[in-house]
Amino acid sequence: MRRISHALALAAVLALPAAQAQNPLKLGEKLRTADPSAHVWRDGRLYLYTSHDEECQADFHMKDWHAFSSTDLVNWTAHGPVLAIKDLKWADDYAWAPDAAYKNGKYYLVFPAGTGVKDREDPKRSTKWMGIGIAESDSPTGPFKDMIGGPLWRKPYANDPSLFIDDDGKAYLYFHGAGADYRVVEMADDLRSIQGDFVKMDMGGHEPKMEGPWVFKREGLYYFTMPENNRALSHYTASSPKGPWTYRGVFMEPENGNNHHSIVQYQDQWLLFYHRWLDVPGAACAKKQRHVAAEYLQFNEDGSIRKLERTSEGVADFAKKRAGR
Ligand code: FUB
């Protein structure tokens, strides 16, 4: 009898991770998604805007951006592509990491796109250029329309936008740029143009190579977060959206390849969305491919972000936590 109950207990433990596993998120059986930008809109749903990898992609030639939404973070509604490279007059490739915003009753998708090719052997022969565009919609699920028909600027070369709207309605655009990292530019009220100069922010002397920044505010404190050296998620804090910033350290270590993330509060929980490079059994290639995942994010007493591990459970118990409130 005792042996049977031990066996049952072991079976239950072994069954647990599989039953609860929610990472990577179930966004579509054959759809390879990356670079999740998470937002909670007025309808109470959590939305993810993602980029979309071709199967077994190489050099990130990407063609469209997708949206998904959920209320329990387990069951996701796919809203399909919300904007595609073919809809743009000024770019024909590189549908990279997007961000989104809600302002003046409209939804905005801010996105990088480009042209040309990168010559990895002889970088001087590269013709690749990238810029940042902005598209509008009356709905969070699009379709989004490129109202200005061009990038917000041509120089500096830029991608990975993070559009932060402060409580006073002012919009700040952060991005990764060629020789122009750690810059911020304010945007016009209608978000159709930038306003003023690019401001180089004071990062307290810590300026590693970076990609996709993500800026948010919690309890009056501003957070500038980014994948340091494109891999380790790290953070800075400040009392203003333009800094000066204080470096607060890495909160997620690197794994396999680049990382790109977003952070949002949803129904009392702070959440981290990011992507992982994972094996895909049965895929046409042997290499790892990108998948969107999520974890709970915790803060220390001093406001810094607690270091976290990647888990297979992710936020599978989100609905249960909500019910237990
Ligand atoms: O998905 C294409 C690029 O890879 C993103 O824009 C970067 O942040 C990196 O994730």
Side-chain angles (χ1 to χ4, degrees):
M1 184 65 179
R2 210 179 186 178
R3 205 178 279 163
I4 292 174
S5 61
H6 275 161
L8 284 175
L10 183 65
V13 168
L14 289 178
L16 202 63
Q20 289 190 340
Q22 189 46 35
N23 276 335
L25 302 182
K26 311 285 176 282
L27 300 181
E29 191 60 31
K30 293 247 162 77
L31 196 65
R32 309 275 168 246
T33 48
D35 308 322
S37 158
H39 290 273
V40 177
W41 299 140
R42 295 149 62 89
D43 60 3
R45 297 179 72 78
L46 185 141
Y47 285 82
L48 289 182
Y49 297 88
T50 73
S51 55
H52 170 204
D53 286 341
E54 302 285 306
E55 185 71 8
C56 301
Q57 64 89 16
D59 259 353
F60 307 103
H61 295 288
M62 297 153 75
K63 299 297 176 213
D64 54 19
W65 298 270
H66 284 242
F68 307 86
S69 69
S70 178
T71 53
D72 62 9
L73 312 185
V74 171
N75 298 292
W76 292 88
T77 303
H79 302 291
V82 290
L83 182 70
I85 285 290
K86 67 174 170 43
D87 303 328
L88 307 177
K89 290 194 192 102
W90 52 276
D92 57 13
D93 203 345
Y94 307 114
W96 283 15
D99 191 12
Y102 174 79
K103 196 171 180 344
N104 304 333
K106 283 201 181 295
Y107 295 88
Y108 294 86
L109 190 77
V110 56
F111 58 91
T115 57
V117 282
K118 184 167 188 167
D119 189 327
R120 290 194 182 271
E121 268 153 36
D122 183 359
K124 280 199 216 95
R125 292 170 52 134
S126 290
T127 54
K128 184 175 172 193
W129 166 86
M130 289 190 74
I132 293 171
I134 187 136
E136 298 176 22
S137 176
D138 291 329
S139 157
T141 58
F144 287 87
K145 195 164 174 356
D146 176 3
M147 301 298 283
I148 60 175
L152 287 164
W153 67 85
R154 287 205 171 260
K155 262 188 185 174
Y157 172 117
N159 57 44
D160 286 4
S162 171
L163 179 53
F164 170 70
I165 314 251
D166 208 347
D167 302 333
D168 60 4
K170 273 195 180 171
Y172 300 85
L173 186 59
Y174 306 81
F175 55 94
H176 161 58
D181 283 343
Y182 304 106
R183 278 166 177 71
V184 60
V185 65
E186 283 187 39
M187 295 198 68
D189 189 56
D190 65 3
L191 298 186
R192 289 187 180 184
S193 61
I194 57 172
Q195 205 172 46
D197 293 333
F198 295 99
V199 174
K200 169 72 184 64
M201 300 184 292
D202 177 351
M203 306 307 291
H206 185 75
E207 297 185 11
K209 179 168 147 45
M210 59 164 272
E211 276 192 339
W214 179 265
V215 173
F216 68 97
K217 192 176 183 181
R218 174 183 173 267
E219 295 177 4
L221 195 62
Y222 296 84
Y223 289 76
F224 180 91
T225 65
M226 54 96 180
E228 189 166 325
N229 295 311
N230 306 354
R231 302 255 186 301
L233 299 185
S234 66
H235 69 304
Y236 302 71
T237 55
S239 56
S240 132
K242 290 182 175 175
W245 298 96
T246 303
Y247 183 63
R248 308 296 293 268
V250 169
F251 60 92
M252 180 179 260
E253 295 289 348
E255 178 199 61
N256 298 329
N258 66 32
N259 201 352
H260 190 112
H261 72 296
S262 57
I263 292 170
V264 73
Q265 185 179 25
Y266 187 42
Q267 299 177 0
D268 295 352
Q269 298 292 331
W270 281 92
L271 304 162
L272 170 76
F273 292 88
Y274 65 106
H275 65 233
R276 300 185 74 171
W277 293 75
L278 302 171
D279 291 321
V280 180
C285 55
K287 61 185 200 175
K288 294 185 190 307
Q289 303 198 53
R290 301 193 294 180
H291 297 72
V292 171
E295 311 289 350
Y296 294 111
L297 195 79
Q298 313 280 348
F299 294 85
N300 294 309
E301 284 282 299
D302 64 2
S304 59
I305 300 176
R306 218 171 272 172
K307 202 158 186 181
L308 71 154
E309 303 290 333
R310 293 165 179 82
T311 67
S312 57
E313 298 82 12
V315 294
D317 62 350
F318 180 80
K320 231 192 257 171
K321 278 196 184 207
R322 184 177 53 191
R325 269 208 319 251

